[in-house]
Amino acid sequence: MMIKTSVKTKIILLIVFAILASNIFLGHLSYKDSETLAIDIIKKKNEEELMNISEYYFNKLIFDMEYVVNYWSELPEIIRYKKSSYTPKIVNYIPEDFNFIYKQWMGLTQSMHDITWLYYALESDGSIYIAPIDETMPQDYDARTREWYQGTVQQAGKVFWTEPYIDAGDSGKILQTVSKAVYEGGILKGVIGLDIELDKFTEIISNLSFAKNANIFLVNQSNEVIAHNADNIQFFTLNFIENISQSSITEIKEITGDKYIVSWTPLSINHWKLIAITKTGFEADLIVMKTRIILIVLGTSLLSVLFAFLGSKNLLKPLNRLITITEEVGNGNLNIRSEVNSNDEFASLSKSFNNMLEQIRELMVERDGNYIKTVKVLANAIEASDEYTRGHCDRVGIISKKLVDKLNLPEKQRTHLEFACILHDIGKIGIPESVLNKIDRLTTEEYEIIKRHPMIGYDMIKEIEFLKESSEILLQHHERIDGKGYPYHLTDHQIRIEAKILAVADAYDAMSSFRIYRPDVLRNEEIVKELIDSKGKQLDAHIVEALLELIHNNELES
């Protein structure tokens, strides 16, 4: 039979160890430890900021640019295009048979402000079709002799990034080319390329909030500075940048008595690096830090004595375990359980705590089920007022779920989107049925009434706690990438990813199901054409591509 040891006994046995631990902790404090801690804090902040900047600004720009050249280099119309042998070399105009591509490129360069020029250089005679047309290009220009063209061909089908160079026209701009070769049956047809102005990188760095506290540099593989926000570039180049290696690292350098934290991380193009250099000011920070440490030590000493009478190491261990479990529960993990291997009061507390968690979990499951039922009741109320869209919300939800799976969205965003899909047209409750079910073309006034339904729906559910995020998605689902949507005319990066997914699913169901204002359901080919035409204008291009893949694989048949 196990002997039950009381908590009071454990406290008495461990009182000496608690006090001794506090004294040892106090004796090991030193100025160097404080300085190291301060440096570690700054190093960690620099590294986190660099990773965020690299991921959310530069890597996104890289992904967008590579996506453009990949898309156009693989487009059948580009691959099959053949310039007439009777037409002389083309440099600064567009032939009639390429005009339909040129118009699309003009729309793309106007909507994607990062792109200065988009062009197709032909292997047959060195012609270049460029959007927008650059009338300053020399007539004897031969794309095949340019380094960007030759470098692209050597990449054998991979995306190629050049180092910065001066434009061949009269603009004098410093450019960087992103390009990819076009092949037909293994035969080189030409190169698709786009140009980015180098000032774009400087603009990104200058607009960063982190740039207020650090000097940030973008350098190439030779450690030559491409973009920066420093006032004294020569000082930083000589003392820091020239000797930086390629791998990601953080180091401390002391120059004339001042200490600098130097952090850098590689980018995915041409062995470029992103560097952050922060000058430290440890004196004031260390005084504050040492004061805090002393206060912490004093508090720890007092608590050690107090806990020596109230608990012990064995007492604190199950207590800390219960605190950790409580924090996990607070974060939504109701499957965790307390395990206390003792025969004292904590064992009884742990058992009661586990029982309580099980009851809470069952109640949460029941609550979530009630949420879904409540949302579906609201959705049924929508469809009851619009006889031609019955089942629309369910279908949009199914399509959105397939897109979410394709795009691998986090679980929390999936839940918010699921509710938003069910409720996205709830605002139509506030729209007269005579307008909703009108067969004839809507008047301007009637269309303005219809456009109110996202705001009406948002106002209806925004105060419901579990629908707060869903209400924001609902509010944005008629916004457009080009800023011509409603109610707020948001543009690409201002629109939530969930709202973009909902917009694509909503558009697809509208085209693939019966509508009162359209006598026939669109054929699959017509839907695909409409989706492609809407990319980058009404709908997000990346999400449309995911939907087109689902359509191609017949994954929407059910």
Side-chain angles (χ1 to χ4, degrees):
M1 179 177 179
M2 185 179 290
I3 299 174
K4 186 174 182 179
T5 305
S6 68
V7 173
K8 182 177 180 181
T9 302
K10 295 177 181 178
I11 295 171
I12 295 172
L13 291 174
L14 293 172
I15 182 172
V16 176
F17 297 100
I19 296 174
L20 182 61
S22 296
N23 290 333
I24 292 174
F25 179 72
L26 180 62
H28 280 81
L29 290 177
S30 67
Y31 178 85
K32 194 63 180 177
D33 292 336
S34 301
E35 183 181 44
T36 301
L37 181 59
I39 291 174
D40 287 343
I41 292 172
I42 297 175
K43 285 168 62 177
K44 183 177 180 181
K45 180 181 178 182
N46 276 16
E47 292 167 356
E48 289 176 348
E49 289 285 357
L50 274 184
M51 290 303 295
N52 288 337
I53 294 167
S54 172
E55 182 64 27
Y56 292 109
Y57 292 94
F58 288 98
N59 284 347
K60 183 182 183 304
L61 177 66
I62 292 168
F63 174 86
D64 288 346
M65 298 304 98
E66 292 189 352
Y67 178 86
V68 171
V69 296
N70 275 318
Y71 173 80
W72 287 102
S73 66
E74 296 167 5
L75 194 70
E77 289 87 342
I78 293 291
I79 295 173
R80 293 194 300 263
Y81 177 80
K82 184 176 181 181
K83 175 175 166 290
S84 172
S85 58
Y86 299 105
T87 306
K89 186 171 68 173
I90 296 172
V91 174
N92 47 23
Y93 73 94
I94 301 298
E96 186 74 24
D97 60 355
F98 200 81
N99 202 41
F100 75 107
I101 294 289
Y102 177 79
K103 289 180 179 179
Q104 296 180 61
W105 285 2
M106 286 300 295
L108 189 62
T109 57
Q110 290 169 4
S111 62
M112 296 184 70
H113 301 297
D114 298 332
I115 299 176
T116 304
W117 282 294
L118 181 59
Y119 44 85
Y120 182 28
L122 304 183
E123 174 65 13
S124 59
D125 65 352
S127 291
I128 184 166
Y129 301 164
I130 184 168
I133 294 171
D134 185 0
E135 295 181 352
T136 67
M137 293 280 285
Q139 291 297 325
D140 61 348
Y141 182 91
D142 188 334
R144 297 169 299 182
T145 65
R146 303 294 289 182
E147 290 185 9
W148 60 265
Y149 188 101
Q150 296 170 355
T152 306
V153 173
Q154 292 173 5
Q155 287 293 313
K158 296 180 181 179
V159 175
F160 178 65
W161 287 74
T162 68
E163 291 296 324
Y165 64 91
I166 298 176
D167 175 35
D170 293 342
S171 70
K173 295 178 179 178
I174 300 178
L175 305 173
Q176 183 176 27
T177 294
V178 187
S179 52
K180 185 178 180 182
V182 178
Y183 291 93
E184 182 178 27
I187 299 174
L188 177 66
K189 297 294 294 295
V191 170
I192 287 289
L194 62 82
D195 289 340
I196 309 169
E197 291 185 38
L198 200 62
D199 288 343
K200 178 61 184 177
F201 296 111
T202 302
E203 177 185 337
I204 291 175
I205 290 175
S206 299
N207 290 336
L208 295 171
S209 58
F210 182 49
K212 297 176 182 178
N213 304 313
N215 292 285
I216 303 174
F217 305 85
L218 180 64
V219 302
N220 64 14
Q221 60 182 340
S222 302
N223 288 343
E224 297 171 338
V225 177
I226 295 171
H228 66 91
N229 68 329
D231 293 328
N232 188 354
I233 183 63
Q234 186 176 7
F235 169 80
F236 289 101
T237 300
L238 293 175
N239 291 294
F240 303 100
I241 297 173
E242 285 185 348
N243 299 318
I244 283 180
S245 63
Q246 180 60 30
S247 59
S248 178
I249 198 171
T250 297
E251 64 179 23
I252 305 164
K253 293 194 72 172
E254 187 169 340
I255 308 294
T256 62
D258 293 322
K259 289 186 177 181
Y260 294 83
I261 306 295
V262 186
S263 303
W264 65 93
T265 186
L267 298 179
S268 60
I269 55 172
N270 293 6
H271 302 291
W272 287 13
K273 296 179 287 293
L274 193 61
I275 304 170
I277 302 176
T278 306
K279 183 179 179 181
T280 63
F282 285 129
E283 292 75 18
D285 292 336
L286 287 175
I287 292 173
V288 173
M289 191 172 297
K290 288 179 70 174
T291 302
R292 289 178 179 175
I293 291 174
I294 292 172
L295 291 175
I296 290 172
V297 170
L298 290 175
T300 302
S301 299
L302 292 174
L303 288 174
S304 297
V305 176
L306 178 61
F307 285 143
F309 289 98
L310 300 177
S312 66
K313 186 175 181 180
N314 286 337
L315 171 66
L316 293 175
K317 185 175 180 180
L319 180 60
N320 287 334
R321 174 63 181 161
L322 286 174
I323 291 173
T324 300
I325 292 172
T326 303
E327 292 173 348
E328 285 287 322
V329 172
N331 291 328
N333 182 6
L334 296 177
N335 295 315
I336 195 170
R337 294 293 180 268
S338 172
E339 297 178 4
V340 177
N341 299 318
S342 64
N343 194 28
D344 55 21
E345 292 88 344
F346 279 106
S348 299
L349 178 61
S350 177
K351 183 178 180 181
S352 299
F353 189 77
N354 287 340
N355 290 336
M356 179 187 69
L357 282 181
E358 183 61 30
Q359 293 175 19
I360 292 173
R361 189 189 68 79
E362 292 174 358
L363 288 172
M364 293 293 283
V365 170
E366 182 179 350
R367 184 206 67 175
D368 289 345
N370 290 334
Y371 280 173
I372 294 291
K373 290 177 183 178
T374 301
V375 170
K376 287 196 172 182
V377 167
L378 290 171
N380 290 337
I382 306 166
E383 296 185 345
S385 65
D386 189 351
E387 61 180 302
Y388 295 97
T389 59
R390 292 200 179 109
H392 169 65
C393 294
D394 287 338
R395 294 192 299 273
V396 169
I398 292 169
I399 297 166
S400 294
K401 184 177 186 303
K402 290 180 182 292
L403 287 171
V404 162
D405 291 339
K406 199 81 176 170
L407 299 168
N408 198 27
L409 246 63
E411 188 62 37
K412 185 173 288 188
Q413 287 180 283
R414 292 170 183 250
T415 302
H416 296 324
L417 178 56
E418 179 183 3
F419 289 153
C421 287
I422 298 173
L423 292 173
H424 73 278
D425 279 340
I426 190 173
K428 289 184 178 179
I429 291 176
I431 306 300
E433 288 189 30
S434 60
V435 176
L436 282 179
N437 296 319
K438 184 177 180 181
I439 298 176
D440 299 327
R441 184 181 182 88
L442 295 176
T443 66
T444 301
E445 292 76 13
E446 290 169 335
Y447 182 56
E448 290 300 320
I449 292 173
I450 285 287
K451 284 166 63 176
R452 296 175 193 163
H453 80 270
M455 182 60 73
I456 294 173
Y458 171 76
D459 289 336
M460 289 175 65
I461 66 173
K462 66 181 180 182
E463 300 300 332
I464 302 174
E465 186 63 32
F466 77 96
L467 292 177
K468 188 167 292 184
E469 293 294 324
S470 300
S471 69
E472 295 287 344
I473 300 169
L474 176 156
L475 180 63
Q476 296 181 9
H477 82 280
H478 276 297
E479 298 289 357
R480 292 169 54 109
I481 301 301
D482 58 12
K484 296 179 181 179
Y486 58 86
Y488 292 124
H489 307 294
L490 302 181
T491 56
D492 188 4
H493 300 301
Q494 297 172 307
I495 306 171
R496 296 174 63 129
I497 180 69
E498 305 98 316
K500 292 179 179 179
I501 292 172
L502 175 52
V504 171
D506 192 27
Y508 175 80
D509 187 68
M511 290 187 284
S512 61
S513 57
F514 177 72
R515 285 292 185 273
I516 189 171
Y517 52 79
R518 187 183 61 235
D520 298 309
V521 174
L522 295 183
R523 298 195 316 274
N524 215 41
E525 299 80 13
E526 296 174 309
I527 294 175
V528 168
K529 182 181 183 303
E530 289 290 335
L531 288 171
I532 291 174
D533 289 344
S534 69
K535 288 197 300 183
K537 300 172 186 174
Q538 177 186 354
L539 304 175
D540 182 273
H542 182 53
I543 299 172
V544 169
E545 283 298 323
L547 179 61
L548 290 174
E549 189 173 338
L550 292 174
I551 295 172
H552 178 74
N553 296 333
N554 295 321
E555 295 181 51
L556 298 180
E557 291 300 317
S558 58

